[in-house]
Amino acid sequence: MGSIDKKVASQVIPNLITTSKNDPDAEVRVCAVSALISIAGKDLNKSTPEVKAVIPVVIAAVKDSDTEVRLAALMAFQSMSFTYSSDDNFNVKLTNELKAAIPVLMETLKDDNEQVRSNAISALSNMGQDTTSLVPVIIQGLKDKNDLVRIGATSVLGSVGIWKRKSEEVVKAVPALITALKEDKNTQVRSNAAYALKFIGEKVAIVVSALIEALKNDLDFQVRSSAASALESLGEKATTAVPVLIEALKKPELRYNAEEALGRIAESWQDNATKLSNQEVDLAISYLETALNIAENPKSEYANLFGFAEGKKRLRRSLNFLKKEKDSRLFSKTRPR
């Protein structure tokens, strides 16, 4: 029924709703819920009659006594897509019908079944900005014994960070994410935690030191790469990471992200050159010369790749600019008055 013509299918919605709620066979309820989801379509943020009729039923199915029914219902929110307008982009407002799903999904994070908890986290990641006020509950997912739930929790916090990176609620997630980055035994959790800090760590000084530690000491290259990428997003706030980023240039699997991070920091030095002390200018020049010596090593297997060539250009431009700034200051001191 869910795959036939929408006009015909919509006529059977009442019967499917009754079946999804009352049939004693869980497998039949699963099929009824799946058919309703198919009729409603993937864009559950629309106010069509079909969506309005189906969402409350799917929400109710998330609370079904049978695990498979709950999983089938969660699939609606996991596969959900949005229609973005050119001027709305990351500021999509959820309909009241869809907002009603959030508290139920949050409650589902306490489900006894690990797969249900994991899918609930995944579903919440599609809710965007409207999960912001529920960040404290999502943080609890970082303590779940199941790897997939913790992976999902870090993913949700990263998504919320994109939507509301300046929110006080989002910033509250920073300590929990740092703990996950340092202590979680799952590499994907640690990598996701670093990625999430990329979006929500801008105002928190301890983030940089945690990312530096991960870049230096984590045994997994994916985590180290995510840490380097996060440092790149922090720009001038990550200047204390420069020596570690320079060392990372020597490692093929980290080189691209390290070069991007150094390029971003170098450009911040260039933009603020007149505000730097003479000592700071000298130190920046020394760092950039060291970085370029490594990046331009002809023996590097990445030496001639386009992406790395662009990164070297950024470093070179900033270095030349800072050298001119230094020369200008020396000239102004020696010029007769």
Side-chain angles (χ1 to χ4, degrees):
M1 288 184 179
S3 61
I4 61 178
D5 181 83
K6 287 293 179 69
K7 290 182 179 180
V8 177
S10 63
Q11 297 174 15
V12 299
I13 285 178
N15 285 342
L16 286 171
I17 289 174
T18 301
T19 302
S20 71
K21 292 179 178 179
N22 302 326
D23 198 280
D25 190 320
E27 188 174 350
V28 175
R29 297 200 303 278
V30 167
C31 292
V33 169
S34 298
L36 287 166
I37 292 169
S38 181
I39 290 170
K42 289 188 175 182
D43 191 349
L44 297 182
N45 204 37
K46 286 183 176 179
S47 294
T48 63
E50 292 81 10
V51 171
K52 285 187 174 183
V54 167
I55 285 185
V57 184
V58 176
I59 292 173
V62 172
K63 298 183 282 185
D64 194 278
S65 60
D66 184 83
T67 299
E68 294 304 319
V69 177
R70 299 199 298 278
L71 290 171
L74 287 168
M75 185 61 67
F77 304 107
Q78 287 179 274
S79 59
M80 183 173 58
S81 61
F82 289 101
T83 301
Y84 296 102
S85 61
S86 58
D87 60 343
D88 218 9
N89 199 13
F90 283 118
N91 195 31
V92 175
K93 301 293 184 182
L94 300 187
T95 62
N96 290 332
E97 290 83 8
L98 196 51
K99 283 182 181 180
I102 293 177
V104 178
L105 292 172
M106 299 302 299
E107 187 64 26
T108 307
L109 294 179
K110 303 174 186 177
D111 197 279
D112 291 336
N113 184 276
E114 294 179 342
Q115 189 63 52
V116 171
R117 297 199 304 276
S118 174
N119 288 14
I121 279 282
S122 176
L124 281 166
S125 69
N126 282 334
M127 296 295 185
Q129 60 186 352
D130 285 296
T131 56
T132 304
S133 61
L134 300 168
V135 165
V137 183
I138 299 173
I139 289 173
Q140 295 304 309
L142 291 174
K143 302 175 183 178
D144 197 280
K145 61 183 179 180
N146 181 264
D147 287 354
L148 291 177
V149 178
R150 300 198 309 281
I151 289 170
T154 51
S155 177
V156 173
L157 291 171
S159 297
V160 175
I162 296 173
W163 292 77
K164 291 277 187 177
R165 66 171 63 196
K166 295 182 180 179
S167 164
E168 291 183 6
E169 287 295 327
V170 173
V171 172
K172 289 178 183 177
V174 168
L177 285 168
I178 288 177
T179 298
L181 175 61
K182 291 181 177 181
E183 300 177 5
D184 202 283
K185 294 181 179 179
N186 184 281
T187 57
Q188 189 61 53
V189 173
R190 300 199 304 277
S191 180
N192 281 7
Y195 182 82
L197 290 168
K198 173 178 183 174
F199 295 107
I200 64 180
E202 292 186 6
K203 293 186 177 181
V204 185
I206 58 172
V207 167
V208 174
S209 61
L211 292 170
I212 289 172
E213 183 180 340
L215 181 57
K216 285 174 61 178
N217 300 324
D218 199 280
L219 299 178
D220 186 82
F221 89 90
Q222 182 181 349
V223 178
R224 298 197 301 273
S225 180
S226 294
S229 177
L231 289 167
E232 185 267 332
S233 74
L234 296 174
E236 62 185 292
K237 296 181 178 67
T239 53
T240 54
V242 168
V244 180
L245 288 167
I246 289 174
E247 282 300 307
L249 284 176
K250 300 175 184 178
K251 298 177 174 62
E253 72 275 13
L254 299 177
R255 185 163 183 172
Y256 178 79
N257 284 334
E259 203 165 271
E260 287 297 300
L262 287 167
R264 176 81 178 273
I265 294 169
E267 288 174 343
S268 74
W269 283 333
Q270 178 177 328
D271 293 340
N272 297 286
T274 57
K275 300 176 184 178
L276 298 177
S277 67
N278 290 342
Q279 185 178 4
E280 288 171 331
V281 170
D282 287 340
L283 184 60
I285 290 173
S286 176
Y287 278 145
L288 292 179
E289 286 178 337
T290 302
L292 278 166
N293 284 337
I294 298 170
E296 293 178 338
N297 183 347
K299 295 182 180 180
S300 169
E301 59 185 296
Y302 296 107
N304 297 317
L305 292 182
F306 176 75
F308 291 94
E310 287 300 305
K312 289 193 285 285
K313 286 179 182 177
R314 293 172 68 192
L315 294 173
R316 177 63 65 186
R317 280 195 300 266
S318 296
L319 175 60
N320 290 338
F321 187 94
L322 290 173
K323 283 183 173 180
K324 288 179 181 178
E325 173 66 22
K326 180 178 180 178
D327 290 342
S328 174
R329 294 182 186 187
L330 290 172
F331 177 75
S332 64
K333 280 185 177 181
T334 57
R335 184 176 56 186
R337 297 184 179 181

